[in-house]
Amino acid sequence: MVMTDVAHTAAPSEGADLLSTVQQQFDEAADLLDLPARLRGILRAPQRELTVNFPVKHDNGRIEVFQGFRVQHNLARGPTKGGIRYHPAVTLDETRALAMLMTWKCALAGLPYGGAKGAVVVDPKQLSLGEIERLTRRFATEISVAIGPERDIPAPDIGTNPQIMAWIMDTISMHQGHTVPAVVTGKPINIGGSEGRLEATGRGLTYVLTTASQHLGLKIPEIRLAIQGCGNVGSTVAREAVALGMKVVALSDSRGGVYNPHGLDVEAVLTHKARTGSVAGVANADSLSNEELLEIECDVLVPAALSGVITAQNASRIKAQIIAEAANGPTTKAADAILYDRGCLVIPDILANAGGVTVSYFEWVQGLQEFFWSEREVNAQLRRVMTNALQQVLRVAAERQVDLRTAAYMLAIQRVGDAVTTRGIYP
Ligand code: GLU
């Protein structure tokens, strides 16, 4: 299965690491906000968690029981929103962390949602299309008690794609007896998906990157990008950057990377990957490892693959002036401090990759209204949301003398905390 959404590959221990990282980031921002203890207690842990174990019949008749999760972190600002991940190493802790990140991401973008995340512990590459369909339909049925257009709206994430969203939509619609387009986003366009949704995460990142570069006084045609990861997001960023006149000097996937200091021919690299399965070995480029890519001479580094790749070990060797986080959680807490001291501008995941959920919101609105927008309208609204969010984060960062991640968390936590306070504690 191809065309996954936000890029990420987890190692088994990463789930707990990511949860402790996002909780530390929350604590730091909550301290700076002087957030009352009662609000901290409410916001630090997920509101609802559902674990499901369900059987799926393989093509050869064998029955296997799979485990899945749906975590709804906070419902104060509206229904919850977030992707579903299919990955063999995904854990409940990782799903909790990702749900919490979704709450902040939605609040920061000003979307009327809380955050959620779903996952199934499975390697979709090991299953046939029919097996993936049966797994998806059964998982959708198991979590149907929790999802719905007014309750919680899933979307694609690692290992899932528009076709899987179509099966979820169809399954829920069969249960209801009528079509329910707004129960998921990231659907194929012919059944109510939005124009521009597939490219939205990468495109939103380039909008933010352009504004941030201007803020730093960088000249767009002189910008050299290194992109780690070449899935949906990494490849879209590469294409959009070239269209803006930037140079992509390095690009990689799980099998390795390629480098050309004068700029790669991005279309040739993507064609080579489509043909051979990897960017490695393309003509007119040197090869380099995923680790080397992070430290290469460039102006902008876009980690669009693994979480936890920028660490205290390599942060001081990173040469980029801007890091735009396409993946969720690519930078550790210790690395953040080193990068801040060195004057590197880190555009945090909850800001840099918020384009996906923003166009998901547009898709949900279009589905509820049964009135569809042109790609031009979608992109114009996406640009407005992304640049507004960046301006607000830059303002808080300057006022409070903090890095962009802390500023983004502060803005988001304040908004969610205010919603909880205004609604009051029930009963
Ligand atoms: N999975 C994406 C993310 O992590 C998109 C979620 C959505 O569109 O709801 O932001």
Side-chain angles (χ1 to χ4, degrees):
M1 305 290 304
V2 288
M3 300 314 283
T4 59
D5 211 50
V6 170
H8 178 98
T9 308
S13 64
E14 261 185 46
D17 288 359
L18 191 64
L19 184 59
S20 75
T21 299
V22 300
Q23 285 181 331
Q24 279 174 43
Q25 285 160 349
F26 169 79
D27 290 339
E28 196 176 306
D31 285 347
L32 286 164
L33 286 168
D34 270 330
L35 200 72
R38 72 188 168 82
L39 282 179
R40 282 184 203 229
I42 293 169
L43 300 182
R44 204 172 186 278
Q47 191 166 340
R48 297 174 180 170
E49 303 180 347
L50 176 65
T51 296
V52 296
N53 297 288
F54 57 98
V56 177
K57 198 181 269 180
H58 284 271
D59 293 342
N60 64 7
R62 185 171 67 89
I63 308 256
E64 185 178 349
V65 174
F66 289 88
Q67 184 162 65
F69 316 106
R70 185 72 186 169
V71 175
Q72 299 173 348
H73 172 258
N74 186 277
L75 290 86
R77 286 173 45 86
T80 48
K81 186 89 192 76
I84 292 177
R85 174 170 295 196
Y86 287 177
H87 194 278
V90 73
T91 61
L92 180 55
D93 268 351
E94 185 181 11
T95 313
R96 288 174 171 139
L98 294 164
M100 191 165 175
L101 283 174
M102 286 308 302
T103 298
W104 312 141
K105 201 183 290 186
C106 292
L108 188 61
L111 311 179
Y113 291 137
K117 204 75 169 197
V120 178
V121 186
V122 60
D123 183 356
K125 292 193 194 104
Q126 305 299 323
L127 300 185
S128 71
L129 207 58
E131 289 167 337
I132 292 173
E133 178 174 354
R134 290 194 291 281
L135 175 134
T136 298
R137 289 186 181 277
R138 182 61 191 253
F139 178 61
T141 304
E142 295 294 339
I143 63 167
S144 64
V145 292
I147 64 171
E150 285 97 30
R151 298 152 69 89
D152 178 13
I153 306 108
D157 198 79
I158 308 307
T160 57
N161 59 24
Q163 177 60 69
I164 289 175
M165 298 306 115
W167 290 326
I168 296 176
M169 188 272 250
D170 185 68
T171 302
I172 301 300
S173 299
M174 289 298 128
H175 293 175
Q176 302 277 317
H178 59 90
T179 301
V180 190
V183 67
V184 283
T185 59
K187 298 181 294 293
I189 289 177
N190 67 340
I191 54 159
S194 178
E195 298 288 346
R197 172 63 186 86
L198 205 56
E199 301 83 5
T201 311
R203 194 169 277 154
L205 186 141
T206 37
Y207 292 157
V208 165
L209 178 60
T210 311
T211 312
S213 304
Q214 284 157 350
H215 173 79
L216 289 188
L218 298 178
K219 293 201 179 68
I220 302 291
E222 288 170 15
I223 292 178
R224 297 160 304 163
L225 271 90
I227 306 172
Q228 187 190 58
C230 198
N232 175 22
V233 184
S235 60
T236 306
V237 172
R239 283 201 169 106
E240 295 281 317
V242 169
L244 288 168
M246 301 177 189
K247 275 193 190 71
V248 177
V249 293
L251 197 53
S252 69
D253 57 39
S254 56
R255 292 205 232 152
V258 288
Y259 172 64
N260 182 338
H262 306 294
L264 295 163
D265 178 344
V266 166
E267 283 313 318
V269 176
L270 296 179
T271 308
H272 180 83
K273 182 174 166 68
R275 214 183 53 235
T276 66
S278 174
V279 298
V282 74
N284 301 322
D286 297 331
S287 61
L288 86 176
S289 69
N290 267 297
E291 295 72 40
E292 287 166 338
L293 181 140
L294 298 170
E295 299 173 21
I296 207 83
E297 185 67 46
C298 67
D299 305 294
V300 177
L301 176 63
V302 182
L306 303 147
S307 80
V309 290
I310 301 174
T311 64
Q313 278 70 51
N314 60 13
S316 57
R317 293 195 297 271
I318 288 176
K319 304 191 182 58
Q321 295 183 58
I322 299 179
I323 297 178
E325 296 184 338
N328 286 316
T331 310
T332 66
K333 196 87 191 54
D336 254 341
I338 297 170
L339 294 164
Y340 186 63
D341 285 345
R342 298 183 63 224
C344 175
L345 192 76
V346 179
I347 308 175
D349 46 12
I350 58 170
L351 173 59
N353 73 29
V357 71
T358 299
V359 177
S360 272
Y361 166 59
F362 300 158
E363 179 177 332
W364 180 73
V365 169
Q366 293 171 74
L368 291 174
Q369 298 186 337
E370 299 286 1
F371 179 78
F372 292 89
W373 312 353
S374 69
E375 184 165 357
R376 233 182 127 88
E377 288 168 300
V378 169
N379 292 345
Q381 294 289 346
L382 174 63
R383 188 190 289 274
R384 177 185 60 80
V385 169
M386 298 299 292
T387 44
N388 271 349
L390 175 69
Q391 307 288 13
Q392 290 166 356
V393 170
L394 287 171
R395 205 186 54 237
V396 173
E399 274 167 19
R400 302 295 301 258
Q401 291 295 301
V402 291
D403 62 14
L404 298 197
R405 191 185 318 280
T406 309
Y409 267 71
M410 287 172 74
L411 265 167
I413 292 168
Q414 185 73 61
R415 284 177 190 165
V416 183
D418 285 350
V420 172
T421 304
T422 307
R423 287 180 64 156
I425 305 298
Y426 176 85

